[in-house]
């Protein structure tokens, strides 16, 4: 969908567009919420979620600014009241390809430091579940701990048993 509204360079705010004032939430705002949820799902983040998401949105939109209503939405985001499923329910997608593109955007945001954090992976899976995507459609974006354990480390070690005592030189056992 085309973006509309007042421009914001991140330092000054201007009035939001009529859709926002009337209570309607834009697709871009909902996606921004999902990105903020992803940024907050990272317990190891080095930058503030606002900065991370603002930077990502500017890159995706190919602009040096974000809209004022998006800036305000990012600043007002509350991770304690945010609900993935309710946010996704307000979005419409033309195809599963668009849903995967959203997941790829979230994954790219989460993978900027190349560190595996299971909270990030759980968040991505929760968005995919809310989107109704089967796991095979997004498994390339997630990390399966059990699969890695089996392929990297092999099967779990068997419990050690105490070997029987060795016989001594006269045919009896030591002990």
């Amino acid at each position: 969908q085309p973006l509309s509204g007042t421009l914001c360079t991140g330092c000054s705010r201007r009035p939001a567009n009529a859709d926002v004032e009337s209570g309607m939430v834009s697709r871009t705002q909902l996606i921004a919420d999902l990105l903020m949820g992803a940024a907050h799902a990272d317990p190891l983040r080095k930058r503030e979620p606002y900065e991370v998401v603002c930077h990502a949105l500017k890159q995706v939109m190919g602009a040096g600014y974000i809209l004022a209503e998006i800036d305000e939405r990012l600043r007002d985001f509350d991770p304690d009241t945010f609900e993935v499923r309710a946010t996704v329910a307000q979005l419409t997608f033309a195809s599963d390809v668009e849903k995967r593109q959203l997941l790829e955007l979230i994954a790219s945001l989460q993978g900027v430091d190349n560190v595996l954090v299971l909270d990030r992976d759980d968040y991505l899976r929760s968005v995919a579940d809310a989107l109704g995507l089967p796991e095979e459609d997004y498994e390339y974006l997630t990390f399966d701990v059990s699969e890695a354990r089996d392929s990297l480390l092999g099967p779990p070690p068997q419990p050690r048993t105490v070997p029987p005592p060795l016989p001594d030189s006269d045919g009896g056992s030591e002990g």
Side-chain angles (χ1 to χ4, degrees):
Q1 286 182 351
L3 300 175
S4 62
T6 308
L7 304 180
C8 179
T9 59
C11 57
S12 62
R13 292 188 188 173
R14 295 178 181 89
N17 67 21
D19 287 345
V20 175
E21 290 170 0
S22 68
M24 292 178 60
V25 179
S26 74
R27 177 182 175 104
T28 305
Q29 288 174 306
L30 294 169
I31 291 172
D33 286 350
L34 290 169
L35 293 175
M36 286 296 285
H40 279 276
D42 182 358
L44 301 178
R45 68 180 178 267
K46 294 182 177 133
R47 295 189 315 171
E48 285 300 311
Y50 168 83
E51 294 172 12
V52 173
V53 174
C54 189
H55 177 74
L57 287 172
K58 288 176 185 178
Q59 282 188 317
V60 169
M61 294 187 293
Y65 58 86
I66 58 172
L67 300 174
E69 58 268 18
I70 302 300
D71 180 70
E72 184 174 349
R73 187 130 181 137
L74 296 177
R75 291 179 189 279
D76 293 343
F77 183 83
D78 181 0
D80 295 329
T81 60
F82 174 65
E83 295 181 22
V84 170
R85 195 165 289 285
T87 302
V88 169
Q90 296 176 66
L91 289 166
T92 56
F93 296 92
S95 66
D96 284 352
V97 171
E98 281 189 356
K99 293 176 182 181
R100 282 192 300 274
Q101 287 172 336
L102 174 60
L103 288 180
E104 289 169 355
L105 178 59
I106 291 169
S108 71
L109 184 76
Q110 293 179 317
V112 295
D113 58 5
N114 296 319
V115 175
L116 172 67
V117 177
L118 295 179
D119 291 342
R120 295 180 195 165
D121 202 56
D122 290 344
Y123 180 80
L124 189 68
R125 289 175 190 274
S126 71
V127 174
D129 182 56
L131 289 167
L133 286 174
E135 189 169 356
E136 59 268 9
D137 280 4
Y138 65 89
E139 65 188 352
Y140 64 97
L141 297 171
T142 61
F143 184 78
D144 185 345
V145 174
S146 62
E147 182 180 303
R149 180 196 64 228
D150 294 344
S151 66
L152 294 174
L153 304 175
Q158 297 299 316
R160 291 186 60 186
T161 58
V162 177
L166 295 173
D168 61 12
S169 58
D170 62 359
S173 56
E174 294 179 31

